[in-house]
């Protein structure tokens, strides 16, 4: 349980260090309650779903490297 808390803290630190647009995407998809779907986030922001998908995948790879 201690390790999981450390990982969560690391994730939040990495997300906070990202450019605001990228951080907002990850917060909306994973950290807010309830999380948004890509489609809902697309409708909210006007950014195409596939653009968000590619950005999300890039950010998840970055997070994986940082953890």
């Amino acid at each position: 349980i201690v390790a999981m808390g450390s990982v969560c803290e690391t994730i939040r630190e990495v997300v906070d260090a990202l450019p605001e647009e990228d951080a907002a995407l990850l917060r909306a998809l994973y950290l807010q309650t309830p999380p948004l779907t890509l489609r809902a986030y697309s409708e909210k922001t006007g950014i195409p779903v596939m653009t968000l998908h590619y950005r999300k995948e890039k950010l998840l790879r970055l997070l994986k490297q940082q953890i």
Side-chain angles (χ1 to χ4, degrees), residues 13-50:
E13 289 172 4
V14 172
V15 169
D16 289 344
L18 292 171
E20 184 53 38
E21 188 174 78
D22 292 338
L25 173 61
L26 290 179
R27 284 185 194 110
L29 297 179
Y30 298 106
L31 301 176
Q32 83 178 23
T33 306
L36 293 178
T37 63
L38 277 177
R39 182 168 292 163
Y41 193 75
S42 173
E43 291 173 3
K44 178 180 174 183
T45 63
I47 301 170
V49 173
M50 285 310 297

